[in-house]
């Protein structure tokens, strides 16, 4: 007997809600508690801002940073993995769209989730640096460029103030807030710098896609070895 399978396609252009960000954090932390990025959405936001801005990094590479090495075997709950991949793809696209708009915002952290506490960007900046480290050699021209290096400086300073010797300076809340205020425009400036660099070198800049273009019969980008239609495709049969 033939069965009709009803599926619901994921809208990869829809930004994550606060509840979905919380869900993503829980999924990552419960399955990859010792990860480089942790599960904090603020850190993931900084990471993707960096990955999207700079040299091309394939999803097969950054997925292992987010979910852990060999995550396709280590995540025991396949439904949770599929859900996490759906959420992370939408999060990635949300950030990419934001970088191309005039109102890009940095996702900040609020200690203890208390409204009266001062917001911080430490996790966001550390995530950004992790993204840079995936192509550290290719980022060197940006770091050494007099035009763009001033935009990288506040990110590096907040990420590791002791390493930059600015720990005492940034311990003053006024100075920290001044550096924090520079982050959104810095991120957009760095993104635009890379776009111009790709053009001048005759390279094709990474293109934004609102939905992944993956052949149903192609190997799944999660690295499971299965066909995409049988693994992480939103239209997979259940």
């Amino acid at each position: 007997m033939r069965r009709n399978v009803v599926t619901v396609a994921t809208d990869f252009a829809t930004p994550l809600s606060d509840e979905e960000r919380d869900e993503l954090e829980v999924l990552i932390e419960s399955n990859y508690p010792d990860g480089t990025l942790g599960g904090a959405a603020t850190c993931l936001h900084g990471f993707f801002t960096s990955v999207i801005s700079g040299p091309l990094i394939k999803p097969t590479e950054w997925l292992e940073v987010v979910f852990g090495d060999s995550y396709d075997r280590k995540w025991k709950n396949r439904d949770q993995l599929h859900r996490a991949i759906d959420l992370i793809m939408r999060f990635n696209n949300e950030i990419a769209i934001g970088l191309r708009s005039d109102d890009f915002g940095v996702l900040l952290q609020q200690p203890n989730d208390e409204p009266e506490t001062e917001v911080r960007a430490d996790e966001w900046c550390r995530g950004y640096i992790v993204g840079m480290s995936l192509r550290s050699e290719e980022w060197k021209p940006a770091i050494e460029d007099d035009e763009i290096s001033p935009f990288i400086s506040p990110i590096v300073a907040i990420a590791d103030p002791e390493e930059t010797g600015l720990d005492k300076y940034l311990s003053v809340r006024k100075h920290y807030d001044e550096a924090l205020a520079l982050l959104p425009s810095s991120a957009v400036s760095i993104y635009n710098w890379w776009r111009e660099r790709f053009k001048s070198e005759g390279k094709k800049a990474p293109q934004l896609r609102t939905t992944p273009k993956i052949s149903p019969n192609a190997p799944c980008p999660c690295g499971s070895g299965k066909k995409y239609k049988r693994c992480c495709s939103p239209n997979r049969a259940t």
Side-chain angles (χ1 to χ4, degrees):
M1 180 178 66
R2 181 177 180 179
R3 294 185 297 175
N4 293 322
V5 179
V6 179
T7 61
V8 178
T10 300
D11 182 357
F12 287 95
T14 303
L16 298 188
S17 64
D18 290 341
E19 291 75 17
E20 287 174 323
R21 287 177 184 168
D22 291 341
E23 179 186 359
L24 180 60
E25 288 183 346
V26 171
L27 286 171
I28 294 176
E29 289 174 352
S30 60
N31 289 279
Y32 187 36
D34 301 321
T36 304
L37 296 170
T42 49
C43 194
L44 290 168
H45 192 283
F47 174 73
F48 281 122
T49 302
S50 175
V51 167
I52 293 165
S53 297
L56 180 63
I57 300 174
K58 295 181 180 179
T60 49
E61 184 175 352
W62 58 249
L63 277 169
E64 293 218 338
V65 178
V66 176
F67 296 139
D69 181 53
S70 302
Y71 62 89
D72 55 303
R73 295 194 302 273
K74 293 179 181 178
W75 282 50
K76 296 180 180 179
N77 190 313
R78 305 303 297 180
D79 289 337
Q80 286 187 356
L81 177 58
H82 295 152
R83 174 60 174 167
I85 290 175
D86 284 349
L87 291 173
I88 211 68
M89 289 297 187
R90 283 174 52 201
F91 200 29
N92 177 72
N93 282 338
E94 173 187 343
I95 296 164
I97 292 170
L99 282 167
R100 297 178 63 176
S101 69
D102 296 327
D103 58 351
F104 177 75
V106 170
L107 187 60
L108 304 175
Q109 68 207 67
Q110 195 160 41
N112 303 319
D113 294 325
E114 297 176 4
E116 68 276 8
T117 57
E118 298 166 320
V119 296
R120 301 189 66 83
D122 304 42
E123 290 178 350
W124 188 91
C125 292
R126 283 194 288 269
Y128 196 101
I129 298 300
V130 172
M132 290 176 64
S133 70
L134 297 182
R135 293 291 184 274
S136 56
E137 287 299 316
E138 294 179 63
W139 271 90
K140 281 185 177 180
I143 296 171
E144 297 170 354
D145 187 282
D146 292 338
E147 176 189 349
I148 204 65
S149 59
F151 296 105
I152 299 176
S153 295
I155 299 175
V156 176
I158 294 178
D160 194 346
E162 292 186 4
E163 180 67 23
T164 58
L166 294 173
D167 48 326
K168 291 184 179 180
Y169 179 82
L170 291 177
S171 66
V172 178
R173 188 66 211 189
K174 176 184 176 181
H175 297 159
Y176 185 93
D177 287 343
E178 289 173 347
L180 188 151
L182 295 172
L183 296 180
S185 60
S186 292
V188 173
S189 295
I190 296 168
Y191 173 83
N192 290 332
W193 183 88
W194 276 107
R195 307 277 83 64
E196 291 301 318
R197 184 176 177 84
F198 290 135
K199 290 179 183 178
S200 66
E201 293 180 348
K203 294 181 180 179
K204 187 177 180 181
Q207 297 295 307
L208 170 65
R209 290 176 179 170
T210 56
T211 57
K213 290 186 178 180
I214 305 173
S215 170
N217 292 314
C220 186
C222 77
S224 65
K226 299 180 181 179
K227 292 182 179 180
Y228 179 63
K229 66 182 180 181
R230 299 295 184 188
C231 192
C232 296
S233 169
N235 297 316
R236 63 185 177 273
T238 56

